[in-house]
Amino acid sequence: MNSKDLPTLQELAGRSLLRNEDLAISALEKLPIVFFPQLLKQAYEDSRVNVLRKIVSSWPFPRLPLGALKRRNAWDSQEYYVLEEVDKLLIQKVRPKEYKLEVLDLRSVGQSYLDVWSGPIDSWLPQTSSATEGRTQPLKVAVNLYLRDEQLNKLLYLSQWAEKRKGLLQLYCYELQIWLPSLSICKYLLECVNLQYIEILGLHSLRDPAFFLNLASYLGHMTKLCELSLSNIHEGNIASLEERRHIISGFASQLLNLECLQKFHLDTAAFFEGHLHQLLRSLKTPLNDLAVTHCTVSASEWNRLSKLPCVSQLQQLSLENVRLTSLSPEPLRVLLVKAAPTLVALNLEDCRIKDRHLYAILPALSRCLQLTTFSFYGNQISMHALKKLLRLTASLERLRMELYPVPQDCYEDNGSLNRQSTRDHCNELMDILKAIREPGRVYFGTDRCYRCNNRYIYNKTMMCKCQRR
């Protein structure tokens, strides 16, 4: 057994104590507070309900990271027991002298159950002001909300609790992800949280685009929003083109308020096709992460992309599965020149770029000296052009992940892959890299199989069964 897997003396002491619940409960009054975090974890995992309740009522720290104890996102009975005990404490007129709880953290990520020593550590939460110290403050309940059908009971429980104990507790949401089609339920839940503290928002699989217009008034209050993702947004039943424009204009107008936005992702969003420029021009501060993926971009939108203020300081850019074959390479060249001092990750996977496009952007790519990740799978590049590309990227000393397409020279006239040619060409390309610098992770991948959508990666994966027939 690895020494790291061996239990600590504190863990062994906790297990021994929990074998006798009455003894454990009585011992809590004299137990050094250093034992509380570990004992809480063990009582939670072993479903020692009575001990768990007593630990919560005696919790000696300002922060209780309950979410970090959960094995999954769904609620379990232990979590309800903790909330019941916290609720009992909230309604007591005279609370126990050892009561110090300020933040109940229900988020399951971004924290450790042992990370309680310094009290509230989340900079996104409001801090208790000195003017209000000495008075009982509402308990801050920190959550990530995932509005989907299977989470509905949990969300309604929380919102009803917040409504019932208004003035005694406040819900603070850090991350909000919405899949629910019901606007009325979403509105009810959004009314219960402090919208101005949301930093991550995702809207997914919404088939009624009118939802965006109704959400706009809430979006305008999310002034600290850092990340916004829109994915799988379909056109739905829109009565007219004018109605579509009205919805998008109303939604885009609220983006003007998002002065903290740093990350914007648009994926498989047919509803916004033709209006990408309208969304992006509403972002007044520079982004560090822009992804427009699996979308159709018009020539007019493409030509205006590099002129937008929000793309001047990009650190990450993804245009995966945006077909650039019929578009001019000039906007991409200008965009790379503009982002060159800051760009660290570039994803041009499955853009169907050809040699002439590549040659046009090579000088700009050579200026991206901070680049660490370059994904270029799924582009129709010849061996001659790939040699030029690798001689250039070999000089980018920070590159650690490089994903290149198998040269078009490796395919037969019927589209099948010539294994021997692939081996020879990929080995030659690797030699070009090795002659200049020690490569990090470098892979060569084929086009995706039109049957199963898998990609064969030379020297890494197996050829899919479709191609082996």
Side-chain angles (χ1 to χ4, degrees):
M1 180 183 290
N2 191 308
S3 60
K4 292 182 180 180
D5 298 327
L6 293 173
T8 65
L9 289 176
Q10 191 176 110
E11 289 172 329
L12 291 172
R15 290 177 188 172
S16 176
L17 190 60
L18 287 174
R19 291 192 187 104
N20 187 326
E21 286 197 358
D22 292 337
L23 178 61
I25 291 173
S26 62
L28 285 173
E29 296 179 3
K30 300 178 181 179
L31 201 66
I33 63 173
V34 68
F35 282 91
F36 272 72
Q38 184 63 47
L39 200 60
L40 172 72
K41 178 177 183 290
Q42 291 173 317
Y44 191 97
E45 292 176 346
D46 296 345
S47 300
R48 303 285 185 174
V49 177
N50 294 329
V51 179
L52 183 63
R53 287 181 180 276
K54 182 61 177 177
I55 293 174
V56 172
S57 65
S58 308
W59 191 247
F61 305 103
R63 182 169 176 267
L64 176 56
L66 178 63
L69 298 178
K70 297 188 295 181
R71 299 185 184 91
R72 59 189 187 281
N73 231 4
W75 279 33
D76 49 38
S77 56
Q78 286 87 280
E79 192 165 6
Y80 281 110
Y81 295 141
V82 172
L83 296 184
E84 286 177 1
E85 201 62 35
V86 171
D87 189 63
K88 288 179 184 177
L89 292 168
L90 284 178
I91 60 177
Q92 289 182 16
K93 291 185 178 180
V94 180
R95 294 175 182 173
K97 62 179 181 179
E98 63 270 20
Y99 181 89
K100 292 185 174 63
L101 191 60
E102 296 176 11
V103 177
L104 176 62
D105 199 335
L106 302 181
R107 298 173 300 150
S108 57
V109 295
Q111 57 175 324
S112 166
Y113 69 94
L114 292 176
D115 197 4
V116 297
W117 303 106
S118 58
I121 61 168
D122 301 289
S123 58
W124 66 280
L125 281 173
Q127 301 299 311
T128 302
S129 65
S130 57
T132 59
E133 286 177 359
R135 299 207 309 265
T136 301
Q137 298 299 304
L139 176 68
K140 301 180 184 76
V141 181
V143 294
N144 288 335
L145 295 180
Y146 304 99
L147 307 192
R148 57 201 321 170
D149 290 336
E150 60 268 30
Q151 293 281 307
L152 198 53
N153 288 338
K154 168 183 176 178
L155 301 175
L156 290 175
Y157 179 94
L158 276 177
S159 57
Q160 290 165 2
W161 186 36
E163 193 172 29
K164 182 180 179 182
R165 302 303 183 205
K166 193 171 184 179
L168 296 177
L169 72 84
Q170 291 184 351
L171 287 181
Y172 292 89
C173 178
Y174 176 76
E175 178 179 356
L176 173 62
Q177 302 288 345
I178 300 178
W179 289 267
L180 275 179
S182 171
L183 179 63
S184 59
I185 294 177
C186 285
K187 280 186 173 181
Y188 174 68
L189 294 168
L190 290 174
E191 295 287 346
C192 298
V193 300
N194 289 274
L195 297 176
Q196 64 268 36
Y197 293 98
I198 294 175
E199 294 196 6
I200 301 174
L201 173 65
L203 306 174
H204 315 283
S205 302
L206 301 177
R207 299 182 182 276
D208 180 7
F211 186 96
F212 287 95
L213 194 57
N214 289 299
L215 187 70
S217 60
Y218 295 97
L219 183 64
H221 292 288
M222 300 179 190
T223 53
K224 292 186 179 180
L225 198 68
C226 297
E227 301 181 15
L228 175 60
S229 300
L230 310 175
S231 69
N232 202 23
I233 309 298
H234 301 279
E235 293 190 57
N237 300 317
I238 298 300
S240 66
L241 183 61
E242 186 59 34
E243 184 181 356
R244 182 182 181 187
R245 289 173 178 165
H246 175 63
I247 291 171
I248 293 176
S249 295
F251 183 76
S253 67
Q254 296 301 322
L255 300 181
L256 293 167
N257 298 318
L258 307 182
E259 297 182 354
C260 297
L261 197 67
Q262 298 176 340
K263 177 178 178 179
F264 181 76
H265 284 194
L266 191 68
D267 179 74
T268 317
F271 179 69
F272 291 102
E273 286 182 5
H275 296 270
L276 173 64
H277 182 262
Q278 187 176 358
L279 292 178
L280 293 179
R281 76 183 180 192
S282 300
L283 306 178
K284 297 304 182 183
T285 55
L287 298 171
N288 61 33
D289 186 342
L290 173 63
V292 179
T293 58
H294 299 86
C295 293
T296 299
V297 178
S298 68
S300 61
E301 289 178 306
W302 178 244
N303 292 335
R304 290 184 288 180
L305 179 62
S306 60
K307 300 180 178 67
L308 294 167
C310 68
V311 301
S312 61
Q313 299 175 27
L314 289 176
Q315 296 177 24
Q316 300 185 64
L317 172 64
S318 176
L319 298 171
E320 182 178 341
N321 221 304
V322 174
R323 301 301 174 96
L324 302 181
T325 307
S326 60
L327 299 175
S328 167
E330 180 61 13
L332 181 56
R333 185 196 70 79
V334 174
L335 185 56
L336 291 177
V337 168
K338 184 177 288 189
T342 55
L343 195 65
V344 296
L346 176 62
N347 184 351
L348 298 176
E349 190 169 319
D350 290 327
C351 290
R352 294 295 186 263
I353 292 174
K354 297 182 181 296
D355 285 7
R356 67 180 183 88
H357 295 84
L358 178 61
Y359 292 145
I361 66 172
L362 279 180
L365 189 60
S366 69
R367 300 169 66 169
C368 299
L369 301 179
Q370 307 302 315
L371 207 61
T372 62
T373 302
F374 179 46
S375 181
F376 202 58
Y377 284 155
N379 292 297
Q380 300 166 337
I381 309 298
S382 69
M383 180 64 175
H384 181 264
L386 272 174
K387 285 182 179 179
K388 286 193 171 185
L389 174 61
L390 266 74
R391 289 191 182 102
L392 182 152
T393 55
S395 64
L396 301 179
E397 298 180 353
R398 294 179 181 268
L399 265 180
R400 294 296 178 266
M401 172 66 81
E402 304 166 66
L403 311 177
Y404 299 105
V406 167
Q408 290 294 296
D409 310 59
C410 298
Y411 295 94
E412 305 287 0
D413 292 340
N414 64 1
S416 62
L417 190 70
N418 184 310
R419 298 289 193 90
Q420 183 59 50
S421 178
T422 300
R423 185 179 301 110
D424 293 343
H425 283 69
C426 290
N427 288 341
E428 183 180 352
L429 290 169
M430 280 297 296
D431 288 340
I432 291 175
L433 270 179
K434 291 177 180 178
I436 301 174
R437 64 168 165 85
E438 183 63 32
R441 289 179 290 174
V442 180
Y443 303 105
F444 297 92
T446 64
D447 292 338
R448 293 190 182 278
C449 172
Y450 71 93
R451 290 193 183 95
C452 67
N453 204 40
N454 287 322
R455 193 192 306 280
Y456 167 61
I457 311 299
Y458 174 66
N459 271 351
K460 185 182 180 186
T461 65
M462 295 287 292
M463 184 76 75
C464 68
K465 293 181 180 179
C466 314
Q467 302 292 328
R468 283 185 274 159
R469 291 176 179 175

